[in-house]
């Protein structure tokens, strides 16, 4: 099992409260529809970043059976890929992604 960890920041023109609504109420349901190989999805909303650290808005964990399921089979279709791309562009300013394994 592979867990992808995403450290996410909002766009500068989207405040944190709006970002949270957009992620939890709009993006998550869309992702659940269009990521058929995803086995689990947890979004952790960041309430406060430590002083002096880069500000984050959320940390997401997505589980897959294999890294290939994430890299090669993430989307259900090209239309699904486009829908996710349009949605993410509305609120996401940037994200760092890490492929991890639980121990």
């Amino acid at each position: 099992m592979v867990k992808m960890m995403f450290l996410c920041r909002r766009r500068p023109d989207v405040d944190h409260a709006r970002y949270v609504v957009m992620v939890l109420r709009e993006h998550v349901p869309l992702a659940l529809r269009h990521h058929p190989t995803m086995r689990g999805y947890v979004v952790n909303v960041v309430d406060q970043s430590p002083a002096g650290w880069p500000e984050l808005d959320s940390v997401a964990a997505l589980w897959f059976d294999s890294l290939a399921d994430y890299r090669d089979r993430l989307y259900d279709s090209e239309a699904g890929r486009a829908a996710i791309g349009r949605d993410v562009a509305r609120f996401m300013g940037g994200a760092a992604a890490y492929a991890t394994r639980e121990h």
Side-chain angles (χ1 to χ4, degrees):
M1 179 94 31
V2 172
K3 183 192 299 183
M4 295 297 300
M5 299 295 296
F6 292 86
L7 284 64
C8 305
R9 294 178 322 280
R10 68 186 184 273
R11 287 175 30 159
D13 60 326
V14 176
D15 69 25
H16 180 72
R18 179 69 183 133
Y19 171 91
V20 171
V21 169
M22 294 172 90
V23 169
L24 297 180
R25 293 190 186 159
E26 300 166 17
H27 179 71
V28 169
L30 190 66
L32 291 172
R33 276 197 305 277
H34 293 294
H35 296 325
T37 60
M38 189 168 58
R39 299 292 176 233
Y41 189 11
V42 173
V43 175
N44 300 278
V45 172
V46 175
D47 293 325
Q48 183 176 358
S49 297
W53 289 29
E55 188 174 321
L56 293 176
D57 293 285
S58 64
V59 177
L62 288 70
W63 286 264
F64 298 89
D65 288 336
S66 69
L67 196 52
D69 279 347
Y70 170 72
R71 288 185 178 158
D72 304 328
R73 295 178 285 280
L74 180 60
Y75 300 99
D76 60 346
S77 64
E78 283 304 313
R81 178 189 300 270
I84 294 291
R86 283 189 306 272
D87 184 57
V88 168
R90 294 179 321 113
F91 63 86
M92 188 72 66
Y98 300 87
T100 70
R101 280 181 290 127
E102 286 188 20
H103 293 271

